Amino acid sequence: EDKVVQSPLSLVVHEGDTVTLNCSYEVTNFRSLLWYKQEKKAPTFLFMLTSSGIEKKSGRLSSILDKKELFSILNITATQTGDSAIYLCAVEVSGANNLFFGTGTRLTVIP
Amino acid sequence: NAGVTQTPKFRILKIGQSMTLQCAQDMNHNYMYWYRQDPGMGLKLIYYSVGAGITDKGEVPNGYNVSRSTTEDFPLRLELAAPSQTSVYFCASSFPRSGSEKLFFGSGTQLSVL
């Protein structure tokens, strides 16, 4: 059975801290891994990763994929209160019209 | 710049009632999806469609039905509402499969069945 596991489930940090969110997966026919940020309602796209070792970066956020060890990390540096959200990891499988989502990591950044 | 539009935003149903959640997208996306998100859980796929007239079941289709008569619209029907269907429902759409799978989500419908 295809599975996506995120850790930690929740995290509370102070502004300025750096955080690392983890996503591990067990799927057949892996195609890509995606990260989404969910603030109040709809998830919004952050990154899509398909190749190992290539870092994707957007401002203070970055992500990398390890296809050998079957995991990805999402890093956020110099966190701000606006980074408070649920971060969702999802895996796309070849031949399936679906994304398998993890349960998410709830990040809270306090001033 | 509408994107994916869902209605209603909130709804309370009594057990056994039926309703239709509406979803429309104006991006000419072929692929559309319905997900549900239970508290503290990830999104689970209910149904999806790869084009007008074509629908298929996802992970958790029981208790739901869909139709796709046009490219733009993808309504989700609950026939006999049950408390287990209390959830937040998200509609999403995406570009045709070209190796770049990015979902565009609607703002969600919070449904309570009492």
Side-chain angles (χ1 to χ4, degrees):
Chain A
E1 182 182 327
D2 297 324
K3 187 167 61 175
V4 178
V5 178
Q6 291 186 245
S7 64
L9 291 181
S10 66
L11 191 57
V12 180
V13 300
H14 289 94
E15 263 191 323
D17 288 349
T18 293
V19 297
T20 298
L21 310 183
N22 303 293
C23 176
S24 63
Y25 61 91
E26 292 179 30
V27 301
T28 52
N29 299 319
F30 172 88
R31 184 173 181 181
S32 66
L33 185 145
L34 299 95
W35 285 96
Y36 289 85
K37 179 182 182 182
Q38 185 176 22
E39 294 180 81
K40 291 181 180 177
K41 279 287 187 177
T44 54
F45 173 79
L46 292 175
F47 298 112
M48 186 179 79
L49 304 154
T50 56
S51 302
S52 278
I54 299 175
E55 185 183 52
K56 292 284 183 87
K57 197 169 173 63
S58 176
R60 296 175 294 103
L61 277 67
S62 64
S63 183
I64 197 161
L65 174 68
D66 186 328
K67 290 169 73 173
K68 182 179 177 184
E69 300 298 330
L70 309 182
F71 77 91
S72 173
I73 59 172
L74 175 68
N75 279 321
I76 308 175
T77 59
T79 52
Q80 303 171 357
T81 55
D83 295 326
S84 296
I86 296 172
Y87 289 85
L88 297 168
C89 171
V91 172
E92 182 189 6
V93 173
S94 293
N97 291 301
N98 189 17
L99 290 180
F100 293 96
F101 282 85
T103 55
T105 293
R106 180 181 291 276
L107 174 66
T108 303
V109 182
I110 54 179
Chain B
N1 230 18
V4 179
T5 302
Q6 283 184 242
T7 56
K9 294 192 184 308
F10 303 95
R11 185 71 186 267
I12 298 174
L13 286 181
K14 294 182 179 178
I15 294 171
Q17 285 185 318
S18 61
M19 76 163 294
T20 299
L21 281 65
Q22 302 291 343
C23 176
Q25 52 90 11
D26 60 0
M27 298 174 281
N28 203 31
H29 288 172
N30 284 351
Y31 286 70
M32 295 188 75
Y33 311 80
W34 274 105
Y35 286 90
R36 60 177 285 173
Q37 185 178 32
D38 298 331
M41 303 293 286
L43 282 72
K44 296 287 188 184
L45 183 67
I46 305 171
Y47 270 94
Y48 66 95
S49 168
V50 301
I54 306 170
T55 63
D56 210 342
K57 295 178 180 179
E59 299 173 79
V60 289
N62 291 344
Y64 307 94
N65 276 302
V66 293
S67 60
R68 185 95 182 270
S69 56
T70 66
T71 300
E72 294 78 19
D73 300 298
F74 190 40
L76 177 72
R77 178 91 179 153
L78 284 72
E79 291 293 350
L80 290 170
S84 61
Q85 293 177 305
T86 294
S87 191
V88 179
Y89 291 84
F90 289 102
C91 178
S93 69
S94 68
F95 288 110
R97 300 185 74 74
S98 59
S100 176
E101 174 82 289
K102 288 200 311 184
L103 292 179
F104 293 82
F105 285 89
S107 56
T109 296
Q110 187 157 347
L111 176 68
S112 296
V113 182
L114 306 175

